[in-house]
Amino acid sequence: MSREDQHNIIVAEASPIIAAGLASCLQRMPGIHVHPLEVSEPSELAEAVKRQNPKLVIVNPSFGGAFVPEHLRAACPGCGFKVVAIEVAPLDRHVRGLYDETVSVVDDLDTLSAKLSPMCRETEPRDDEKDVLSQREKEILVEVVKGLTNKEIADRLYLSVHTVITHRRNIARKLEIHSATGLTIYAIVNRLVDLADLHL
C-alpha cells in the first residue's frame, strides 16, 4: 500500500454526521497529511486498526455501548496508536483519564490542529527542533510573559480560552519549560519580547 493510501487516523463514530464533519476538519489541518478512515461498527474497529496501523484512533466513548481503550489495545498488540475521545457531552475525569487526549465536537480547526498535529507527525522531532514554536505559539508566549491571563490572551487574539490553554500546554511541552520565569527568559533570549515591554 502506498503512503498516499494509508489511513493514519481512524474515526470510530456511529453518527455519520459527526464522523464526516470530524474527518473533513482533519483533512484541513495544516502542516500534515491526514487520511481519515471512518468506522461505524464496533466489530470493524479492531480489524481496521490491525490492517491500517493508524497513529490515532479517535472514538466516541459511547461507541459500541461503552468503549474501553485498553480492550482495543489488547486486541491489537504491537500497534502503537494513541486513543482520542470525541467529547459530545462533558466527560468525567475518570473517563478522560482513559484516553491520550480529548477533542470536542465544538472545537474549531485551530484547536483540533493544536491537539492532534503533534500526535500525527511521522517522526519525533530532532533535539534541535524541539524548541521551534509556531507563529501562533510565539504570539501566545509573548502575551503570557507580559502577564496577560488566558481570557485576556483569548480576547486579544480572537481565540477561545480552551485554544489558548492548549497552545500553552504545547509551548511548555516543546520547550520543556514550565515556569513563568523560564518562559520569560526564553522569550528575551530569543528576542520575542523587549525588556521595555515587560513589567519586571
Side-chain angles (χ1 to χ4, degrees), residues 83-95:
V83 185
V84 178
I86 304 171
E87 195 167 9
V88 178
L91 300 175
D92 67 39
R93 188 165 45 179
H94 170 70
V95 174

Side-chain angles (χ1 to χ4, degrees), residues 12-190:
E13 167 60 66
S15 165
I17 295 173
I18 294 175
L22 182 55
S24 175
C25 288
L26 292 171
Q27 289 172 316
R28 290 164 45 215
M29 288 197 307
I32 59 171
H33 298 289
V34 175
H35 305 281
L37 172 68
E38 297 171 44
V39 176
S40 59
E41 295 292 331
S43 59
E44 301 171 358
L45 183 53
E47 277 307 309
V49 170
K50 290 175 187 173
R51 192 171 61 249
Q52 304 295 345
N53 194 23
K55 292 185 178 299
L56 298 181
V57 175
I58 305 178
V59 60
N60 189 322
S62 64
F63 190 66
F67 180 79
V68 180
E70 286 312 309
H71 291 175
L72 179 62
R73 289 191 174 104
C76 305
C79 300
F81 57 89
K82 295 186 181 297
V83 185
V84 178
I86 304 171
E87 195 167 9
V88 178
L91 300 175
D92 67 39
R93 188 165 45 179
H94 170 70
V95 174
R96 278 176 170 268
L98 301 175
Y99 293 84
D100 296 295
E101 181 61 91
T102 61
V103 294
S104 170
V105 292
V106 297
D107 281 347
D108 58 22
L109 186 59
D110 202 19
T111 302
L112 278 176
S113 183
K115 289 179 178 180
L116 301 181
S117 289
M119 303 171 79
C120 294
R121 303 280 179 210
E122 287 297 321
T123 58
E124 288 295 312
R126 299 192 314 264
D127 287 343
D128 62 349
E129 291 179 338
K130 285 184 179 177
D131 62 346
V132 176
L133 301 181
S134 69
Q135 186 57 40
R136 177 64 85 189
E137 287 166 343
K138 289 177 182 176
E139 291 171 1
I140 289 173
L141 176 58
V142 167
E143 304 302 338
V144 168
V145 300
K146 287 181 181 176
L148 273 67
T149 65
N150 290 337
K151 176 72 166 60
E152 290 169 333
I153 295 170
D155 290 344
R156 182 170 291 195
L157 298 179
Y158 304 102
L159 299 170
S160 70
V161 173
H162 187 67
T163 299
V164 172
I165 292 170
T166 300
H167 279 303
R168 289 189 66 169
R169 284 183 188 148
N170 288 340
I171 290 167
R173 176 183 56 77
K174 285 182 177 181
L175 301 182
E176 297 181 0
I177 298 173
H178 302 278
S179 69
T181 302
L183 291 173
T184 301
I185 292 169
Y186 175 89
I188 293 170
V189 169
N190 288 277

Side-chain angles (χ1 to χ4, degrees), residues 6-18:
Q6 290 178 353
H7 298 274
N8 55 9
I9 295 181
I10 290 177
V11 178
E13 167 60 66
S15 165
I17 295 173
I18 294 175

